[in-house]
Amino acid sequence: MKKYSIFAIARNARTHHENWERAWRSPDPKPHYDVVIVGGGGHGLATAYYLAKECGITNVAVIEKGWLGGGNTGRNTTIVRSNYLMDESAALYDHAVQLWEDLSDELNYNVMFSQRGLLHLAHNVHDMQEIGRRGNSIYMNGIDSEFLSPGQVKDMVPIINLNCRYPVMGGLLQRRGGTARHDAVAWGYARAADAMGVDIIQNCEVTGFKIEGGVVKGVETTRGSIGAGKVGVVAAGHSSVVAEMAGFRMPLESFPLQAFVSEPMKPIVDCVIMSNAIHAYISQSDKGELVIGGSGDPFISYSQRGSFDQIEHVVGPVLELYPIFSRVRMLRQWGGITDVTVDRSPIMTKTPVENMFFNCGWGTGGFKATPGSGHVFAHSIAKGEMHPIAAPFSMDRFHTGALIDEAAAAAVAH
Amino acid sequence: MFLVKCPWCGWRDQTEFSYGGEAHIARPLEPGQISDAEWGDYIYTRRNTKGVHAERWSHTQGCGRWFNALRHTVTDVMWDSYKMGEDAPTPPKDWDGMTCCDDHKKLAEGAKK
């Protein structure tokens, strides 16, 4: 892998940028790998990267049924934050934020991580109590968190209409939160993992598993069978489908969640603003588009579209809060399939099948955790025991009752 | 957005209805007699089917009644609905999830003519 740098740009300018090497190879699958990762999104690629870099396991394949980052990695609203209520979540998501902070250097790939600040709005007494409780608990977990008065919210976001139908009564700000470039995260991890010998195999769908005596021995794919010492499944919305192939079920339901972007505009919003009470969140990409998201569809589906009426439920509140956007035109709309758990916390777990690990249930907010998720999952696969940060997120919690209930803090806003 | 068939009111827009999750999950008769794992499965584990899914709906903005329905979760087309307590209808094996039971019947009759 040739290093990306200003000198590389100058060198390649002399040959009219026609000789850049490919960011990663496109190999045929080998007959056997030490670890096979099912799912080439951000989390899967990050897992492969940290397996190679930190665990010394380079005989790894990432198998992707479509193209890299074509699922939820390329369909989210790119928000990164770690202001979660529960201790277990704080440890996990802040581990991710700390990795995000050095990620561009680490991968030699600009993931455009921008800590522009992330503001949660409160619109009623209950919201104020909720951010009070959550803000203090976040603070006690050593994560930055500030309360803002309506005046301070207005200073930060001059275009906001504080006296809208549900007036803004305050806000909770995490200055280390922000956004990143979602495609770059997948590509950066893919390129860096490939350079260490990881095989990235696209257009290769898993159709089944080879399981002997309760131990996984390999995966069956549309490009033939591939032997595997261990298998890590990071299949997001399709985790239930993959689990069914392995002969067990997961405590998951898959819901479509949609987002949309506007036409590009000059800079007008320089932070991420979200509101749990009115189900809308907004930020502005570096290209100038407003990136807008809201709540998911209320029924399970794999349609990757999202319902038309949900658009109105999101656009209405956005215009109440920011009347200046009333004539902005929307450019694109899309949906992703989110695998949601009942406590709105992810599942990183061993499974009833030996040597098979699942990393799923990230629901509507997995993007922010990409580096942290990959990091602890890689260590868990390498050791065969769950990493201490990942251990509380085992699927056993749905039997023991030790749920990590982020439903209040994470169910809506991402 | 798609159409939902209420057994009493007929085909209406999905926004009139509330979704009630997977159908035909029976509460264990003796909760004290089963293991934590079985109880956890009853509460949390779901089929989450990609394909034909049996699910509960309530016509909240209409007659308010609960019923079951079969829907294809890739195309979001509902095959048919049925009343609580009835057995689920069986869509034809070659059903591609593109037409509801009524349209499927009309198309089949059209093809015969």
Side-chain angles (χ1 to χ4, degrees), chain A residues 311-354:
Chain A
I311 297 175
E312 196 176 345
H313 293 316
V314 175
V315 170
V318 164
L319 294 188
E320 268 294 310
L321 273 175
Y322 318 101
I324 193 172
F325 293 146
S326 64
R327 278 175 284 171
V328 172
R329 284 165 293 189
M330 288 297 146
L331 203 63
R332 294 193 303 280
Q333 171 273 357
W334 66 92
I337 303 304
T338 60
D339 44 331
V340 177
T341 57
V342 72
D343 60 358
R344 301 298 190 271
S345 285
I347 299 173
M348 286 186 275
T349 189
K350 294 199 242 183
T351 65
V353 179
E354 187 102 9

Side-chain angles (χ1 to χ4, degrees), chain B residues 2-67:
Chain B
F2 51 88
L3 295 179
V4 172
K5 184 184 183 183
C6 172
W8 290 275
C9 312
W11 291 98
R12 301 287 182 90
D13 196 285
Q14 172 262 315
T15 53
E16 288 185 20
F17 296 83
S18 299
Y19 180 68
E22 186 180 327
H24 308 300
I25 297 175
R27 191 176 198 277
L29 291 173
E30 298 281 351
Q33 305 298 313
I34 62 173
S35 68
D36 289 349
E38 286 168 307
W39 184 250
D41 280 347
Y42 157 65
I43 300 179
Y44 301 120
T45 304
R46 294 291 176 266
R47 287 172 192 272
N48 199 17
T49 312
K50 184 178 186 179
V52 184
H53 188 243
E55 56 198 19
R56 303 183 299 178
W57 287 86
S58 168
H59 196 181
T60 33
Q61 314 263 346
C63 65
R65 279 194 265 197
W66 283 93
F67 55 91

Side-chain angles (χ1 to χ4, degrees), chain A residues 50-51 54-55 374-385 387:
Chain A
Y50 291 111
L51 273 172
E54 298 197 358
C55 308
H375 187 257
V376 298
F377 194 53
H379 280 270
S380 305
I381 293 176
K383 264 185 104 176
E385 285 300 322
H387 186 280

Side-chain angles (χ1 to χ4, degrees), chain A residues 4-260:
Chain A
Y4 287 159
S5 69
I6 190 163
F7 305 109
I9 294 174
R11 210 165 36 242
N12 280 282
R14 285 187 307 192
T15 50
H16 306 281
H17 294 290
E18 287 173 354
N19 292 318
W20 286 98
E21 67 174 358
R22 290 186 67 163
W24 55 82
R25 297 163 294 130
S26 190
D28 287 324
K30 287 193 260 179
H32 188 275
Y33 291 92
D34 293 341
V35 178
V36 169
I37 303 293
V38 178
H43 290 231
L45 292 164
T47 306
Y49 170 78
Y50 291 111
L51 273 172
K53 174 155 184 273
E54 298 197 358
C55 308
I57 303 174
T58 53
N59 187 21
V60 175
V62 178
I63 296 175
E64 165 58 44
K65 77 170 168 182
W67 64 96
L68 291 193
N72 293 351
T73 302
R75 292 166 185 268
N76 63 80
T77 47
T78 77
I79 295 168
V80 176
R81 65 187 180 94
S82 61
N83 51 357
Y84 278 76
L85 177 69
M86 312 302 287
D87 296 352
E88 296 88 347
S89 318
L92 174 60
Y93 291 103
D94 209 57
H95 181 54
V97 168
Q98 287 173 26
L99 289 170
W100 274 114
E101 286 169 341
D102 296 323
L103 197 59
S104 291
D105 279 346
E106 160 120 22
L107 298 179
N108 180 229
Y109 204 103
N110 186 5
V111 299
M112 295 166 74
F113 181 47
S114 156
Q115 292 178 296
R116 55 185 65 186
L118 180 138
L119 180 60
H120 274 268
L121 299 178
H123 301 267
N124 52 47
V125 174
H126 172 80
D127 277 0
M128 291 299 287
Q129 290 169 343
E130 191 273 321
I131 64 168
R133 178 186 179 218
R134 181 153 55 94
N136 282 316
S137 104
I138 293 161
Y139 196 74
M140 286 166 74
N141 274 318
I143 297 167
D144 67 309
S145 158
E146 290 169 46
F147 298 106
L148 301 191
S149 68
Q152 288 170 309
V153 170
K154 185 76 180 172
D155 284 347
M156 197 166 168
V157 190
I159 58 165
I160 201 166
N161 171 22
L162 293 178
N163 297 311
C164 50
R165 183 173 172 192
Y166 300 106
V168 176
M169 294 175 71
L172 183 67
L173 173 67
Q174 183 182 22
R175 291 195 191 273
R176 286 163 66 235
T179 59
R181 170 85 201 280
H182 50 10
D183 293 329
V185 177
W187 299 337
Y189 272 122
R191 176 170 169 269
D194 177 83
M196 290 184 287
V198 171
D199 281 358
I200 293 163
I201 302 159
Q202 301 180 73
N203 294 313
C204 178
E205 185 173 354
V206 168
T207 53
F209 293 98
K210 204 165 138 200
I211 297 169
E212 289 169 11
V215 185
V216 68
K217 297 285 181 195
V219 292
E220 305 293 336
T221 74
T222 48
R223 293 178 65 177
S225 21
I226 303 171
K230 291 176 180 173
V231 174
V233 177
V234 199
H238 281 70
S239 297
S240 296
V241 178
V242 180
E244 194 80 45
M245 292 175 196
F248 57 92
R249 285 189 185 151
M250 299 296 290
L252 291 172
E253 289 190 292
S254 295
F255 298 94
L257 176 66
Q258 60 185 322
F260 16 100

Side-chain angles (χ1 to χ4, degrees), chain B residues 34-106:
Chain B
I34 62 173
S35 68
D36 289 349
E38 286 168 307
W39 184 250
D41 280 347
Y42 157 65
I43 300 179
Y44 301 120
T45 304
R46 294 291 176 266
R47 287 172 192 272
N48 199 17
T49 312
K50 184 178 186 179
V52 184
H53 188 243
E55 56 198 19
R56 303 183 299 178
W57 287 86
S58 168
H59 196 181
T60 33
Q61 314 263 346
C63 65
R65 279 194 265 197
W66 283 93
F67 55 91
N68 293 327
L70 289 184
R71 180 173 57 98
H72 201 291
T73 56
V74 177
T75 60
D76 284 343
V77 169
M78 189 169 280
W79 170 252
D80 201 357
S81 62
Y82 51 103
K83 292 174 186 170
M84 289 282 171
E86 289 179 359
D87 288 337
T90 322
K93 280 212 176 98
D94 61 341
W95 185 46
D96 55 3
M98 300 304 285
T99 49
C100 68
C101 58
D102 298 349
D103 288 351
H104 196 269
K105 213 191 232 166
K106 275 182 217 157

